[in-house]
Amino acid sequence: DPPIRQRHAIVTLDGALRPIDLGAPAPETVHSYRWSPDAQRLAFDTSDLYVKLRRVLVVETNDSGAGPAATLVREANPLNVSASWQIEWSPDCHGLFFLSDRDEDYHLYLAPLDGEEARRITRGPWAVARFHVLPDGLLMVANRGRPEERQLLRADLDGSSLTRVSERAGTHAPTVSPEGRSAAVAFSSDEMPPELL
């Protein structure tokens, strides 16, 4: 079936619609979107219907709407079949962290808004499943050490000082507090049903 045409807009508190221009060709799928911490920009993680072409788009917001969109990240992979992607703003609003398997298994990258090439943040024979940007660092869920586990790793914003913060063997799924200073962690393993840590 042909993709459903999507339109995007900001709804103001008084109910007015401010249209968002994501450019042409319009993305067929929007996987997620994120407001910058200063609420001046909006980022969209998009792809074609079959997830072969990924584009991360950034629009400046204003009183009349947002756009046109600028492409910050573009990845093309004709063999791709899934979209295990994520985007999050850096605390200073100068770039976007994103998950990608462009070099090997899923790892974390930072794409600066100034046009510089995206920098790789994590590397190694393991994969990042999810991540959270904290005021002073990164909290990642990854299978470092054992591929069947999901452990919590903490690193500086540039990927340095990578340390494991979870202790038990199993799966850890954090929900980070709004200010990024604490997290509730759902834990489970082959021997333990889910519990909240």
Side-chain angles (χ1 to χ4, degrees):
D1 293 335
I4 297 173
R5 184 173 181 272
Q6 300 176 346
R7 292 187 298 169
H8 306 278
I10 298 169
V11 181
T12 64
L13 293 177
D14 61 4
L17 289 178
R18 294 174 7 198
I20 298 173
D21 178 10
L22 291 184
E28 295 174 340
T29 303
V30 174
H31 298 279
S32 65
Y33 60 90
R34 296 287 185 270
W35 280 102
S36 61
D38 62 6
Q40 300 299 305
R41 297 177 185 90
L42 192 53
F44 292 85
D45 203 350
T46 74
S47 76
D48 64 311
L49 189 61
Y50 302 104
V51 296
K52 310 301 184 191
L53 175 62
R54 176 193 191 186
R55 291 185 299 152
V56 176
L57 308 173
V58 175
V59 294
E60 303 277 344
T61 61
N62 54 52
D63 291 339
S64 61
T71 300
L72 186 65
V73 176
R74 185 183 189 280
E75 298 180 326
N77 182 350
L79 302 178
N80 194 50
V81 295
S82 64
S84 299
W85 300 327
Q86 182 184 353
I87 57 171
E88 300 292 344
W89 284 94
S90 63
D92 62 7
C93 305
H94 292 162
L96 274 168
F97 289 97
F98 66 98
L99 275 182
S100 174
D101 62 347
R102 57 172 54 189
D103 295 317
E104 51 182 317
D105 213 336
Y106 281 92
H107 276 281
L108 196 55
Y109 296 78
L110 175 63
L113 292 186
D114 62 10
E116 289 186 23
E117 188 174 339
R119 298 188 305 270
R120 188 165 174 178
I121 301 299
T122 62
R123 62 183 66 246
W126 48 280
V128 177
R130 300 294 296 168
F131 70 96
H132 301 272
V133 178
L134 309 175
D136 58 352
L138 301 163
L139 180 66
M140 295 168 276
V141 178
N143 65 356
R144 186 179 184 208
R146 299 185 68 182
E148 69 275 13
E149 293 186 6
R150 297 295 178 269
Q151 297 293 338
L152 299 181
L153 305 178
R154 178 79 160 76
D156 292 338
L157 290 169
D158 62 1
S160 63
S161 303
L162 183 67
T163 56
R164 178 173 156 175
V165 296
S166 54
E167 297 179 357
R168 298 161 73 180
T171 298
H172 299 78
T175 299
V176 177
S177 63
E179 79 285 352
R181 299 293 178 193
S182 59
V185 180
F187 169 79
S188 64
S189 71
D190 292 342
E191 301 174 345
M192 175 72 67
E195 65 175 355
L196 193 61
L197 303 178

